[in-house]
């Protein structure tokens, strides 16, 4: 399990602070990554929510070996870990999902934090894999994403993404916030 905090700016710079639980032997428990201005250009995060076509294309870039519907779900979840979409952008996400065939909606789906949302799922052609994204019922924000495999006991998660907090900040977490007054010179 990992706790991850990501920061992204419109100039395609970013940072990530990641902590693993439990710590692995010979691997650092705490990891910091930094990307200077322009280094995240390949993710096109600033333009990802420009239109439904662009959003669908961006989501599909994330995973190439999965079905189109599974790649869309995985990609939308991945984009949500980097970018906190505003209400119009969340509307684009909902429109992309609504316009995708073979998805099923499940009201009152609980994520692992106990929050109720609308679950949107796709099942693989062989019926052995499920991709489930859970959206907040009134805001449309992504709450969680699960990739599960069918076992004799039912669905078992291979990976689970739980998005707990989304904020906007004028500075990165390691920078001091700007002071309210200018320092006077002597």
């Amino acid at each position: 399990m990992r706790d991850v905090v990501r920061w992204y700016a419109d100039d395609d710079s970013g940072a990530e602070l990641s902590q693993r639980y439990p710590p692995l032997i010979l691997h650092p428990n705490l990891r910091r990554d930094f990307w200077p201005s322009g280094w995240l250009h390949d993710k096109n995060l600033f333009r990802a929510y420009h239109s439904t076509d662009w959003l669908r294309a961006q989501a599909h870039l994330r995973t190439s070996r999965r079905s189109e519907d599974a790649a869309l779900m995985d990609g939308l979840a991945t984009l949500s870990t980097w970018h906190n979409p505003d209400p119009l952008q969340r509307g684009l996400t909902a429109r992309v999902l609504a316009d995708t065939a073979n998805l099923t909606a499940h009201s009152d789906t609980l994520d692992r934090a106990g929050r109720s949302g609308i679950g949107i799922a796709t099942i693989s052609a062989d019926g052995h894999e499920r991709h489930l994204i859970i959206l907040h019922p009134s805001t449309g924000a992504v709450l969680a994403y699960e990739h599960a495999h069918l076992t004799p006991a039912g669905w078992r998660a291979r990976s689970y993404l739980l998005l707990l907090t989304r904020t906007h900040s004028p500075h990165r977490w390691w920078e001091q916030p700007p002071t309210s007054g200018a320092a006077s010179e002597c």
Side-chain angles (χ1 to χ4, degrees):
M1 181 166 71
R2 289 186 310 151
D3 287 338
V4 179
V5 176
R6 286 185 172 158
W7 177 85
Y8 169 74
D10 293 346
D11 66 356
D12 286 325
S13 65
E16 178 179 278
L17 179 64
S18 174
Q19 189 163 7
R20 182 182 299 271
Y21 302 100
L24 297 175
I25 298 172
L26 302 176
H27 292 289
N29 184 36
L30 185 65
R31 189 182 79 196
R32 294 181 178 112
D33 288 322
F34 302 94
W35 297 273
S37 179
W39 280 35
L40 294 174
H41 68 90
D42 61 321
K43 295 185 182 299
N44 287 314
L45 297 167
F46 182 68
R47 291 181 39 96
Y49 294 91
H50 181 70
S51 69
T52 55
D53 290 338
W54 187 262
L55 181 58
R56 186 178 292 279
Q58 280 305 103
H60 286 159
L61 288 176
R62 305 288 178 244
T63 55
S64 60
R65 296 187 325 158
R66 296 188 177 159
S67 73
E68 195 171 309
D69 296 342
L72 173 65
M73 307 276 275
D74 188 65
L76 290 173
T78 300
L79 284 170
S80 293
T81 68
W82 278 103
H83 183 72
N84 182 15
D86 63 32
L88 289 174
Q89 294 168 337
R90 290 191 302 266
L92 280 176
T93 300
R95 189 173 312 135
V96 165
L97 290 168
D99 292 343
T100 302
N102 305 321
L103 301 182
T104 57
H106 306 275
S107 60
D108 296 325
T109 303
L110 292 178
D111 68 14
R112 292 191 181 186
R115 301 173 296 180
S116 181
I118 299 168
I120 310 292
T122 184
I123 307 290
S124 65
D126 65 4
H128 289 100
E129 287 188 85
R130 178 184 72 184
H131 297 267
L132 171 71
I133 195 165
I134 303 172
L135 305 176
H136 189 279
S138 61
T139 68
V142 174
L143 298 176
Y145 169 71
E146 177 184 74
H147 173 209
H149 184 71
L150 187 59
T151 68
W155 293 109
R156 180 176 177 153
R158 284 191 168 168
S159 64
Y160 196 88
L161 171 68
L162 186 64
L163 298 166
L164 296 175
T165 305
R166 292 175 184 86
T167 60
H168 289 282
S169 175
H171 62 283
R172 294 166 283 213
W173 69 83
W174 64 87
E175 297 174 331
Q176 291 294 323
T179 58
S180 58
S184 60
E185 295 183 6
C186 296

